[in-house]
């Protein structure tokens, strides 16, 4: 059974700092890994999707990497801004065959606070 | 292009009642998944539908059920509500069951 862990649970940084959020998963047989952002009481906003065959994806100030062999993914945020304050979740998707296909397994998230 | 919509956004029910939540996926998306989010358990998968067929089901009791219509809209039903069913219920749609796009959620409070 896939387990996804995100450490730390909370992170506070001053504005302008570069930061890295960590995500680890126990089963390397994943189809893809997706990073989301969630604002308080709101739904999830998809940030980046990394296919299992890819090593990284970039969008603006965000860069996500994937290392299947070590069961790790990182989300790098450059030049952080107060508007980046939110909870960041990673989710692993299993292979497209067999039981459990199509369901995402989520970490508990990292709550990020960027202080002005 | 309109995103995933969920109705209602907020709901208050009492124990023993039943509730139906609705999800309209992004146009052209045929896969709809449902998740329950609570502070203690985080996000947990409920079920996934594709072309009106349930393809996968999470580890929830039979009180939780769902269906999908021919226009890909989906409904989720919870019968005999318990206090522990209080949660944010999120719906996600996907065109190819790859990247998932989530709606704003329905906040259910059971009193």
């Amino acid at each position: 059974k896939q387990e996804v862990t995100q450490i730390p649970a909370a992170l506070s940084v001053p504005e302008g700092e570069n930061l890295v959020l960590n995500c680890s998963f126990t089963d390397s047989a994943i189809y893809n890994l997706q990073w989301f952002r969630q604002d308080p009481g709101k739904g999830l906003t998809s940030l980046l999707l990394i296919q299992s065959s890819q090593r990284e994806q970039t969008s603006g100030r965000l860069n996500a990497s994937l290392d299947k062999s070590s069961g790790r993914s990182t989300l790098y945020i450059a030049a952080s801004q107060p508007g980046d304050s939110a909870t960041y979740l990673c989710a692993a998707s299993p292979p497209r065959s067999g039981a459990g296909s199509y369901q995402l397994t989520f970490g508990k998230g990292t709550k990020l606070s960027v202080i002005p | 292009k309109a995103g995933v919509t969920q109705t209602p956004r907020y709901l208050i029910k009492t124990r023993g009642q039943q509730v139906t939540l609705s999800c309209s996926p992004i146009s052209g998306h045929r896969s709809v998944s449902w998740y329950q989010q609570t502070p203690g358990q985080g996000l947990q998968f409920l079920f996934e539908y594709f072309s009106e067929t349930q393809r996968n089901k999470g580890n929830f009791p039979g009180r939780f059920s769902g269906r999908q219509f021919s226009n890909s809209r989906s409904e989720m039903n919870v019968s005999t509500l318990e206090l522990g069913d209080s949660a944010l219920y999120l719906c996600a749609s996907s065109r190819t069951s790859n990247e998932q796009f989530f709606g704003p959620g329905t906040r259910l409070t059971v009193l």
Side-chain angles (χ1 to χ4, degrees):
Chain A
K1 179 188 170 187
Q2 178 74 274
E3 291 182 4
V4 178
T5 304
Q6 293 184 250
I7 296 174
L11 182 64
S12 184
V13 300
E15 181 177 1
E17 196 161 290
N18 302 325
L19 60 101
V20 174
L21 305 181
N22 296 297
C23 170
S24 61
F25 46 95
T26 55
D27 188 348
S28 63
I30 62 171
Y31 186 72
N32 62 46
L33 189 131
Q34 199 166 352
W35 281 92
F36 296 90
R37 166 187 172 138
Q38 185 174 33
D39 293 287
K42 302 289 180 64
L44 277 62
T45 300
S46 178
L47 297 174
L48 289 165
L49 173 80
I50 312 176
Q51 301 289 358
S52 61
S53 58
Q54 298 175 321
R55 295 299 298 266
E56 65 178 278
Q57 282 286 336
T58 298
S59 176
R61 295 183 294 109
L62 306 179
N63 176 278
S65 67
L66 176 64
D67 184 344
K68 281 179 55 178
S69 62
S70 66
R72 288 183 176 184
S73 177
T74 61
L75 179 67
Y76 174 83
I77 302 177
S80 58
Q81 304 170 358
D84 294 331
S85 297
T87 296
Y88 290 80
L89 297 132
C90 67
S93 178
R96 283 296 179 262
S97 61
S101 300
Y102 312 105
Q103 71 178 72
L104 297 178
T105 300
F106 283 87
K108 294 282 182 74
T110 295
K111 185 176 182 179
L112 173 66
S113 298
V114 181
I115 312 301
Chain B
K1 202 176 196 181
V4 178
T5 58
Q6 292 187 246
T7 57
R9 294 292 313 280
Y10 302 92
L11 208 48
I12 299 176
K13 293 285 188 180
T14 57
R15 281 180 297 174
Q17 287 187 309
Q18 75 166 22
V19 67
T20 299
L21 312 182
S22 181
C23 171
S24 292
I26 293 171
S27 177
H29 286 195
R30 295 166 64 190
S31 169
V32 174
S33 299
W34 289 89
Y35 292 82
Q36 180 195 66
Q37 186 177 32
T38 59
Q41 298 297 320
L43 274 147
Q44 293 184 288
F45 174 79
L46 282 156
F47 26 65
E48 189 252 356
Y49 288 87
F50 184 88
S51 293
E52 302 178 66
T53 300
Q54 186 183 88
R55 283 200 297 199
N56 196 18
K57 189 177 190 303
N59 190 26
F60 277 81
R63 299 185 297 108
F64 291 82
S65 63
R67 58 177 175 169
Q68 187 180 34
F69 302 95
S70 58
N71 62 357
S72 294
R73 189 177 69 86
S74 177
E75 286 183 348
M76 187 192 111
N77 185 75
V78 188
S79 62
T80 319
L81 284 165
E82 300 176 359
L83 294 178
D85 297 333
S86 294
L88 181 66
Y89 289 88
L90 292 163
C91 162
S93 78
S94 174
R95 187 172 64 84
T96 60
S97 298
N98 197 11
E99 187 170 8
Q100 306 256 348
F101 296 90
F102 282 77
T106 293
R107 171 74 63 186
L108 172 64
T109 301
V110 182
L111 302 176

